[in-house]
Amino acid sequence: QVQLVESGGGLVQAGGSLRLSCAASGRTFSAYAMGWFRQAPGKEREFIAAIAWSGGVTYYSDSVKGRFTISRDNAKNAVYLQMNSLKPEDTARYYCATGPYATGLRDKQIDYWGQGTQVTVSS
């Protein structure tokens, strides 16, 4: 049973930073791509970032490029999302996801989702 557990969300002022973590279990973590998505109330879940199994390839949505950084630690079975220069429009529930390929995650080809962690950015 694959499990993805997100943590690190919270309330932050605009311009601030947060670091999200996702702990994975249930299969060989280092063999799969990992990604982050977010969903705001009344909106569709959108792709934010993805990282290949090796960590050597990353993809970002235009809305977060230059502000957010995805990384992974295969020894700890964890993926991270460093979020800087946060804006009120970044307010959403953030989800960790996994799949075979980073490009596939970008196209929402997902094997498993986490339950999400809430990020709220105040103005």
Side-chain angles (χ1 to χ4, degrees), residues 1-6 22-29 31-37 45 49-50 79 94-101 104-106 108-116:
Q1 180 78 11
V2 175
Q3 285 193 319
L4 303 175
V5 180
E6 301 94 334
C22 173
S25 62
R27 69 180 184 183
T28 305
F29 176 79
Y32 296 89
M34 300 295 298
W36 289 95
F37 292 73
R45 193 170 297 188
V79 63
Y94 284 69
Y95 296 87
C96 178
T98 184
Y101 306 106
L105 292 178
R106 191 177 54 186
K108 293 188 179 178
Q109 295 170 13
I110 308 297
D111 288 345
Y112 298 96
W113 293 98
Q115 293 299 307

Side-chain angles (χ1 to χ4, degrees), residues 38 47-49 60-69 90 94:
R38 69 186 180 189
F47 167 79
I48 294 300
Y60 297 93
S61 68
D62 289 341
S63 61
V64 305
K65 195 175 296 182
R67 299 188 298 124
F68 291 10
T69 303
D90 293 318
Y94 284 69

Side-chain angles (χ1 to χ4, degrees), residues 17-122:
S17 298
L18 280 175
R19 188 192 193 211
L20 305 184
S21 300
C22 173
S25 62
R27 69 180 184 183
T28 305
F29 176 79
S30 59
Y32 296 89
M34 300 295 298
W36 289 95
F37 292 73
R38 69 186 180 189
Q39 187 168 20
K43 295 188 177 182
E44 290 189 359
R45 193 170 297 188
E46 65 169 333
F47 167 79
I48 294 300
I51 187 166
W53 66 272
S54 65
V57 177
T58 57
Y59 300 98
Y60 297 93
S61 68
D62 289 341
S63 61
V64 305
K65 195 175 296 182
R67 299 188 298 124
F68 291 10
T69 303
I70 188 170
S71 61
R72 66 189 294 161
D73 186 336
N74 286 342
K76 295 182 178 180
N77 287 359
V79 63
Y80 309 99
L81 186 68
Q82 178 67 44
M83 306 186 296
N84 299 329
S85 303
L86 282 161
K87 306 174 182 179
E89 51 264 42
D90 293 318
T91 295
R93 191 163 185 85
Y94 284 69
Y95 296 87
C96 178
T98 184
Y101 306 106
T103 50
L105 292 178
R106 191 177 54 186
D107 297 331
K108 293 188 179 178
Q109 295 170 13
I110 308 297
D111 288 345
Y112 298 96
W113 293 98
Q115 293 299 307
T117 185
Q118 180 67 34
V119 172
T120 302
V121 184
S122 63

